[in-house]
Amino acid sequence: MKPKVLVDPHGYAQTEDLARLGQVVEVVEPTEHLSEPAFIEALAGCEGVIRLGGRLPELTRAVFEGAPDLRIAGVSGDRFGTGIDLAAARECGVLAVDTDNIASAAPVAEWDLALMLLCLRNGAGVYRQMMAGEEQWARAGNDDFVHGELTGKKVGLVGCGHVGQRLVELLSPFRVDLRVADSYLSEEVAAELGIVRGSLDEVLQHADILVVQVPHTPKTEKMIGARELDLLGRGRILINCCRGPVVDYDELTQRLTRGELIAGLDVFDPEPLPKDSRLRHLPNAFVSPHVAWYAPETFGRYFSIMVDEFVRFFNGEGLRFELTQRMVDIRHGRI
């Protein structure tokens, strides 16, 4: 007899993934939005629950204590632990999985790479020249900055989670000289990817191109400020596709206005970018409206990767993307 799993997939779930999950478990889908008591009732006899859509309430202590058969819970976009009581889950012997960040890692890493290439050719300035009919043959207007091809450049990466690790893979054919600053990166992953590590200051001083790819936490708030931009130095390129508040945008805008840097920016502080922001008009800033994550054809991956995890679990294999208390504590700046 197959174990039962209550599944509320989002609208992008593929039928083949539901069928694949159904080969291992008995899939039960709610037909309406459930209150907490109805949710607890629906979990009777269920060993798993997947909460990606909007029909199930949060996974509170009352839910875990009222569902004694539950062994694994899948959630989406909850790396801050706001929709799941992880302490209660742990006490009740329930593992938690969140695959949200993994699913969106590929498109974000690709946009990081795209902005690096654009900024090396002064894409923002060249586009403005073309639109104004003022372009010059073989003149990108960035002779005083890091420019040209990416191959062989010195790249600094701040933050090497799922997005950063995918970016490392994408950079491999360019044979860049890469340095990575990430105190949470395991030695095993660093060795597997051939990463050379350094402190934040060492990475800043190394980089021709600096890519910032950390989550926004109390510890990363404005981690790239005046001092850090001084260490990066003039004529360099800065890329930010993670979260706006990790960079001091007032300081960065001043540097860009003075023509000291070229930047590729997909996120801002505040968001949306104010209509009167100078960043919209600076020829050395290529800006996009927080679109790095947006690749609709990948949306089904959120559920597909979750199915992978549940299949592993019910086949007696280890999880790859368990949501742990340590991960939540990191996001809240507690460690």
Side-chain angles (χ1 to χ4, degrees):
M1 185 173 173
K2 294 179 182 177
K4 278 203 311 183
V5 175
L6 183 64
V7 179
D8 181 20
H10 56 58
Y12 295 96
Q14 302 295 313
T15 55
E16 54 264 35
D17 287 320
L18 279 168
R20 186 160 56 91
L21 181 61
Q23 293 176 356
V24 179
V25 304
E26 178 187 344
V27 176
V28 180
E29 288 194 57
T31 58
E32 59 184 357
H33 287 77
L34 301 182
S35 63
E36 186 174 274
F39 184 25
I40 294 172
E41 184 178 346
L43 284 171
C46 289
E47 295 185 38
V49 59
I50 295 177
R51 178 180 175 265
L52 301 185
R55 290 176 290 185
L56 301 180
E58 294 182 353
L59 292 159
T60 63
R61 176 173 290 276
V63 169
F64 287 117
E65 291 179 348
D69 296 316
L70 201 59
R71 300 167 58 204
I72 182 171
V75 296
S76 175
D78 204 11
R79 295 177 301 282
F80 283 89
T82 55
I84 181 172
D85 189 328
L86 275 180
R90 184 173 61 252
E91 292 169 20
C92 294
V94 180
L95 297 178
V97 177
D98 184 350
T99 62
D100 189 66
N101 198 40
I102 297 91
S104 62
V108 176
E110 289 178 11
W111 196 237
D112 275 326
L113 176 59
L115 291 180
M116 295 169 73
L117 295 168
L118 281 165
C119 289
L120 280 165
R121 308 298 178 97
N122 197 24
V126 169
Y127 175 77
R128 286 175 167 84
Q129 293 167 16
M130 288 291 293
M131 293 303 98
E134 298 173 352
E135 72 274 11
Q136 300 179 56
W137 182 255
R139 289 288 302 276
N142 62 342
D143 290 350
D144 294 332
F145 301 88
V146 174
H147 63 275
E149 61 185 11
L150 178 57
T151 301
K153 290 293 191 298
K154 295 179 180 179
V155 175
L157 175 59
V158 182
C160 198
H162 297 293
V163 176
Q165 290 168 34
R166 177 57 181 151
L167 180 60
V168 171
E169 294 174 343
L170 294 176
L171 288 172
S172 178
F174 295 94
R175 302 188 298 279
V176 299
D177 182 357
L178 178 68
R179 298 288 185 277
V180 174
D182 188 332
S183 59
Y184 301 109
L185 181 67
S186 72
E187 292 297 339
E188 293 78 13
V189 172
E192 179 183 345
L193 293 175
I195 287 172
V196 178
R197 310 177 72 150
S199 67
L200 176 60
D201 286 5
E202 289 169 341
V203 167
L204 288 164
Q205 292 171 309
H206 167 82
D208 292 326
I209 307 166
L210 181 72
V211 181
V212 185
Q213 197 57 68
V214 296
H216 177 214
T217 75
K219 287 190 174 181
T220 63
E221 177 88 19
K222 289 184 169 53
M223 71 179 300
I224 305 298
R227 187 189 76 87
E228 290 74 24
L229 291 173
D230 282 343
L231 287 174
L232 181 62
R234 300 171 64 94
R236 303 297 192 266
I237 292 170
L238 184 145
I239 308 295
N240 186 14
C241 286
C242 55
R243 290 293 185 266
V246 305
V247 173
D248 185 335
Y249 266 76
D250 289 338
E251 186 66 35
L252 176 61
T253 301
Q254 291 179 34
R255 308 274 175 135
L256 291 168
T257 301
R258 295 197 297 264
E260 297 178 7
L261 299 168
I262 288 178
L265 308 170
D266 185 60
V267 292
F268 308 94
D269 185 23
E271 282 190 348
L273 184 65
K275 292 188 182 300
D276 61 352
S277 171
R278 278 184 288 171
L279 290 174
R280 293 182 181 272
H281 307 287
L282 292 173
N284 51 335
F286 189 102
V287 296
S288 57
H290 205 141
V291 298
W293 66 277
Y294 187 72
E297 64 274 14
T298 70
F299 288 173
R301 196 179 298 153
Y302 291 80
F303 183 65
S304 181
I305 297 175
M306 186 67 73
V307 169
D308 292 342
E309 287 290 83
F310 272 62
V311 169
R312 286 190 193 96
F313 177 81
F314 286 107
N315 281 336
E317 302 171 14
L319 296 175
R320 295 177 60 196
F321 305 118
E322 182 181 356
L323 177 63
T324 66
Q325 188 62 52
R326 180 177 183 273
M327 293 167 62
V328 172
D329 287 342
I330 289 172
R331 289 293 175 129
H332 286 280
R334 293 191 283 261
I335 58 176

